[in-house]
Amino acid sequence: GELPLAWPEYARAVFDVLSFANLNIELTSPECGLGASHVYRFKYVLTMLGPVLLLIPFCVIYGINWAYGRWVDAHGEAYLRNHPGAMDVLPAAASRRARWTRRKARFRTEILVRGRGMQAVMVRAYFQLVTILFLPLASVALSYFDCARDRDGRLSHVPSPSDECFSGGHAAWIPFAVFFTTAYCVVLPSAIIFLLVNRRKVLGPIEFALRYGFLVARFREQAYYFEVAVMARKLGVVFA
């Protein structure tokens, strides 16, 4: 059923954006173009490898930033020598042309984040994305073990009813399912709690909050580990 709630205008706008940005693998039907012999298993593996595939755009962005930094290092000083005054502070009434010239000079001579700073940004963004995807990843990982008896008494696989659980092709893929389930449902939360506990001992409270705010900012200082409790609650939802 549906629960009609009077959401405010800004909330509906946020929901519209999230709905537009939501990617559903069912809509793309990649198995059609790749000729997958078993649709469910193909989509299962593709979903489980999602966090690995997400590394590709992060690596591309990091590579572009690295190349841009090398370009600035090689040509920035020469540009300033050939354009004296290009980085001077502009008055409030400066013309549009003068503002554009200064923006171009900044683009050719400055880079805000590089090296370890860029690595830290990439790592934080990636871990934040993975924690957001924890619920669908855990749900899909555990779906391989979702079995039920049909009318004929056969133990069939609910997401793929043509398969009989724990026999044939389904049994052959169980080691992969165990690996992915362990990785997302056990290793990931354990790694997060291990990271938070150990880094909190080493870093001061301010630096700890700045570095790991994406994991701890929502909670009180004493409950810095509560993101793992939220993940455990999400697992409870999956099992329910």
Side-chain angles (χ1 to χ4, degrees), residues 124-199:
R124 286 197 298 268
Y126 180 77
F127 267 96
Q128 186 169 12
L129 190 57
V130 171
T131 54
I132 292 173
L133 295 175
F134 172 76
L135 178 58
L137 286 172
S139 177
V140 173
L142 290 167
S143 70
Y144 202 84
F145 305 98
D146 187 6
C147 301
R149 299 252 177 217
D150 57 18
R151 295 179 179 178
D152 300 327
R154 186 176 69 105
L155 189 62
S156 62
H157 188 211
V158 174
S160 181
S162 61
D163 289 337
E164 184 175 355
C165 284
F166 309 112
S167 66
H170 184 271
W173 282 73
I174 286 179
F176 297 99
V178 171
F179 171 79
F180 288 127
T181 301
T182 304
Y184 292 126
C185 299
V186 179
V187 176
L188 179 59
S190 301
I192 290 177
I193 191 65
F194 178 81
L195 173 70
L196 293 178
V197 170
N198 282 273
R199 299 310 293 172

Side-chain angles (χ1 to χ4, degrees), residues 40 45 47 66-67 91 97 107 115 121 128 148 163 173 177 200 212:
Y40 169 78
V45 172
T47 303
W66 176 84
R97 180 182 179 85
F107 174 78
V121 171
Q128 186 169 12
D163 289 337
W173 282 73
R200 191 169 186 265
Y212 303 102

Side-chain angles (χ1 to χ4, degrees), residues 44 46 50 52 72 87 116 127 131 148 203 205 222 232:
Y44 181 86
L46 193 62
V52 178
V72 168
M87 293 294 292
R116 291 185 177 180
F127 267 96
T131 54
L203 303 175
Q222 297 81 0

Side-chain angles (χ1 to χ4, degrees), residues 5-16:
L5 298 176
W7 294 103
E9 190 65 29
Y10 70 87
R12 289 199 297 269
V14 171
F15 293 151
D16 289 340

